[in-house]
Amino acid sequence: MTASRSHDVSEEKREPLSYEYYVKSSARSLLPLAVAFGCGVAVATFGGRSSQLGAGESSSAASVFSGTTTSRNTDSRNVRGIPQKNDKPTSAAIDTSTLSTFDELVTGANRRRTQSATCSNDFSHDAGPGSPWDRLSSFEESIVKTGLRSALKLNLYDSDPFQADSVRSVDLDDPPKAEMLEYLDKGGPKPERYARAWVMHLQGEADHIMEYRVGPIDASAGTYGTVTALTKEGSIPGSAYKLTWSQQSAAKKVIKSFAGHPSVSEFLTQAFGSTSTIEHSFHENDYDADASRYVNVAYRRRTSLLDNILAYPLPFEFRVDMEPANDSSQWRIVNVLYRHEYFATSLDFIDALQKGEVTIQPTLPFSSNPFWQTLDGRTTDRPDNDFPPAVNVQPAKRYTVVGGQVEWLGWSFHVKNRARTAMIIHDVRFMGARIAYEMSLQELQAIYTGRQPYMANKYLFDSVFNYGSLNRQLKAGVDCPVEATYFDNICVFEHDAGIPLWRKDHQGNKFYAGAKNTKLVVRSVFPVGNYDYLVEAKFNPDGAIDMGFAATGQLFMSHYDKSEEAFGTKVHDEALANVHAHFAAFKVDLDILGQKNCVEKTEVKYGPRADIPGTENDNPNLHVPEKNMYINRVFVDTEDEALVKVNNQAPVQWKVASCSEKNTWGYHRGYDILHPNTPLAISDEPSFNDYHMIFAKRKEDTEEYLTTPVDFLSINEPVLSVTNIDRTVDGSEAQGISNGESLKETDVVTWISVGFYHVPRVEDNPVTNIVESHFRLQPSNYFDENPSIDLGQTDRYRNGKKQESTPAAGCSVEL
């Protein structure tokens, strides 16, 4: 729906229309709207006339913005949306004269309809409210922390901050798959709740970090069960984890002391202006073989006018050597660099300053355009820029959300944000059959480059920042449509794709058929430093799923001089935006008609007909090309054959399939995984992006996550190897993701990496537009025909007359 207006081209100055005015006038101009989706009917007539709407549920406008769950039925027992005994249809009138905001319009038109019980799936259990997968409540987290403090005798409040232990992260330890399947499919006992926690032990000389499992957690009794160590004591040095607040504070004091030295303070004033207008930022990484702790420090211009504190880099940086870790009095400033002039220690730099051996070249004064990095609006002559954008209105929601359980057009699944890695989706079913046990974001990686150490060493595994807990309140109307359902920093909404799902026109309009294409979008957005990331899954009515991530944000920059152009793009007077890469890793655990699956490889080839199976006895006089395109389907035997680097010049389609179940036409039922063939890692540093896809046997205990928090600062020795036997966090040998095991009749997990390299443009300032990368899961011979042929959202015409749709059994559809 878009705003309507006259096309008067008079010179009279127009005042911008308010959003409220736009909503009211648009609502009044709507024709009577009749909508029937799936099962049941919802009719909304605007302009003060009555509306026949579905099953009794009221949804307030506040729920759209407060993050509460909006669903077909708020009774937690009615997870599947099946009408209950006392449900009665209701009717209500929508009076547009009282509408003041767009969300009121949407909410008024969004009361739910009843759904026939014959249209829902019948499972032993749904993962609805109170699901074993639900993230830990704040009360459960407090129980876990209390248990850790008690069982481990943690000293959390020592007067010496370097002797105070700390709980660095707590998250749900998802139940074992076997227990959940027993519960979901066979009505077995509900799995108990456990947590996993990383604890920094700083008492004594040898600080170290350990991971623990805590549980079972009984919130009703307030008990935490037992605390079990998952790593060997002392095997992981404290330097393997990101800095504690005490360590950061101590490092800042060392930096402040260095900057406060009279010679250094005078240098900073001469080189950069008043010291009150500059500040430092530091980045931690460990590239040293001895695992020593240090941070690289770079100076930047500080001003209240900048929305991006990274935007005005200065040509001065150094390193803080933080050894020994528990005695900041011995920490030193080393590797001082000013405009490519190197000094081994802070004393060397100060000595050179006092002898007049440092050539000071003042940076430019604060830009004549101090607003170049702000996100404030600009004056513009763009035509019609004062009118609101087009928006979609969904008169009635066809999906339900109860707790984390979502249903739509035959799809059902449980979704949540976990603290460390954000979105995870469990128990994905289509038309009652489980397609995937788990689909989850596993890691976000950013790799930078630069001439100077600060940017050259910037290599990030972002899960160490617990980005799943960094979610902010989603902004309705920008992050997601206003009519979306919001919960747990996730939004769910049905999206009009704006292009047919399928269509065919025959014989000069004597016959036409086409299906409207809509998708159910599940999305989460979270900030990590200078970038905001979006992760989403799109469920399609034909049984396909698109999943991926997107990035938008502000560029990391270093000080520009001509010699640095190989490392990026000049975007302002003295600012170089550095080249970098964004990669995301996903875990997809497909269960195709059970857990005994195989991996099918379909090669698309081109060659002589003599090489094509089945052509051996063809008549040589056939008028056919000497060469043809053909396919070759095989099941791979081991993990070694399933390390995938997509090559467009040698097309291969990869599929997880049932080893035994076939469709009517004799093909193994399964799901293709279509990769967008994004770039692979080109650096020598370890990366999950060495392969596009890795098919591997599920190993319950060792591959729940792709990385661990201690990989962030020890990237040259990651905890979980991709292809080889490697050490675990406690130093013992363990299997990596892929080590040659059989892929025949086993539970197959696919690790998928997507991403892109970002060569900055001037147009990426002051903020980069969103860039996205998705992969697709699509049914491949899973059905006997196109599963979307039954959609009610289909138009069919024969000889100019509209044909009635044929609904699924038990559903009434009116178009």
Side-chain angles (χ1 to χ4, degrees), residues 192-450:
E192 295 178 306
R193 306 267 284 173
Y194 285 80
R196 292 176 75 160
W198 286 91
V199 177
M200 181 74 79
H201 296 273
L202 292 178
Q203 299 179 57
E205 295 183 1
D207 63 308
H208 61 281
I209 187 166
M210 291 186 63
E211 186 179 22
Y212 297 93
R213 189 171 191 251
V214 182
I217 304 164
D218 187 341
S220 61
T223 57
Y224 61 86
T226 60
V227 176
T228 304
L230 300 179
T231 56
K232 184 179 179 181
E233 183 175 357
S235 63
I236 314 173
S239 60
Y241 206 89
K242 62 188 179 74
L243 296 178
T244 66
W245 287 112
S246 297
Q247 290 169 329
Q248 291 185 42
S249 298
K252 290 177 181 179
K253 290 179 181 179
V254 174
I255 296 167
K256 183 177 181 180
S257 175
F258 169 62
H261 188 283
S263 297
V264 178
S265 178
E266 182 181 359
F267 156 76
L268 294 174
T269 301
Q270 292 178 12
F272 310 127
S274 171
T275 56
S276 64
T277 64
I278 60 176
E279 64 184 358
H280 65 267
S281 60
F282 53 78
H283 173 68
E284 46 184 314
N285 256 125
D286 169 32
Y287 280 83
D288 287 357
D290 62 357
S292 61
R293 166 75 84 185
Y294 68 85
V295 292
N296 288 308
V297 179
Y299 270 75
R300 303 182 180 277
R301 182 82 65 190
R302 179 179 63 197
T303 170
S304 61
L305 295 175
L306 291 181
D307 291 344
N308 181 6
I309 64 170
L310 308 173
Y312 214 113
L314 299 173
F316 183 57
E317 61 181 74
F318 49 83
R319 168 175 161 172
V320 180
D321 187 345
M322 302 173 66
E323 293 292 334
N326 59 355
D327 186 0
S328 61
S329 66
Q330 298 186 52
W331 295 359
R332 302 181 305 141
I333 302 290
V334 297
N335 297 358
V336 181
L337 199 64
Y338 172 61
R339 289 191 180 273
H340 309 303
E341 190 173 358
Y342 174 79
F343 305 88
T345 68
S346 58
L347 296 179
D348 293 337
F349 178 63
I350 292 171
D351 183 61
L353 287 174
Q354 293 173 343
K355 293 178 179 178
E357 296 174 353
V358 179
T359 302
I360 298 177
Q361 303 176 44
T363 56
L364 294 175
F366 187 64
S367 174
S368 58
N369 176 16
F371 299 97
W372 73 281
Q373 269 295 307
T374 71
L375 301 184
D376 295 337
R378 277 31 170 195
T379 302
T380 178
D381 295 325
R382 187 190 293 263
D384 297 333
N385 199 33
D386 55 344
F387 285 91
V391 295
N392 294 322
V393 176
Q394 185 175 2
K397 291 182 179 178
R398 300 194 291 178
Y399 64 86
T400 61
V401 179
V402 180
Q405 185 73 13
V406 182
E407 294 183 16
W408 174 77
L409 285 185
W411 285 106
S412 68
F413 52 88
H414 181 276
V415 61
K416 70 173 179 182
N417 270 325
R418 59 184 172 194
R420 198 168 78 86
T421 55
M423 183 182 290
I424 179 170
I425 301 174
H426 279 113
D427 196 24
V428 180
R429 308 192 194 199
F430 184 59
M431 305 306 292
R434 180 176 294 113
I435 303 299
Y437 177 77
E438 176 185 341
M439 304 189 312
S440 61
L441 176 65
Q442 285 287 308
E443 187 61 86
L444 291 168
Q445 183 181 36
I447 305 172
Y448 282 83
T449 187

Side-chain angles (χ1 to χ4, degrees), residues 39-118:
C39 307
V41 177
V43 179
T45 303
F46 295 96
R49 297 183 177 89
S50 64
S51 304
Q52 179 185 350
L53 299 163
E57 132 182 299
S58 62
S59 172
S60 67
S63 68
V64 175
F65 296 93
S66 66
T68 58
T69 299
T70 303
S71 62
R72 176 187 300 127
N73 191 306
T74 55
D75 187 342
S76 62
R77 296 167 297 177
N78 188 17
V79 177
R80 309 211 59 77
I82 300 173
Q84 301 299 295
K85 184 175 182 180
N86 296 323
D87 283 351
K88 295 180 179 180
T90 62
S91 62
I94 300 176
D95 183 1
T96 58
S97 65
T98 63
L99 293 175
S100 60
T101 61
F102 182 65
D103 63 285
E104 287 179 292
L105 169 64
V106 174
T107 303
N110 197 36
R111 299 186 182 96
R112 299 295 305 162
R113 77 284 187 276
T114 57
Q115 182 187 42
S116 168
T118 60

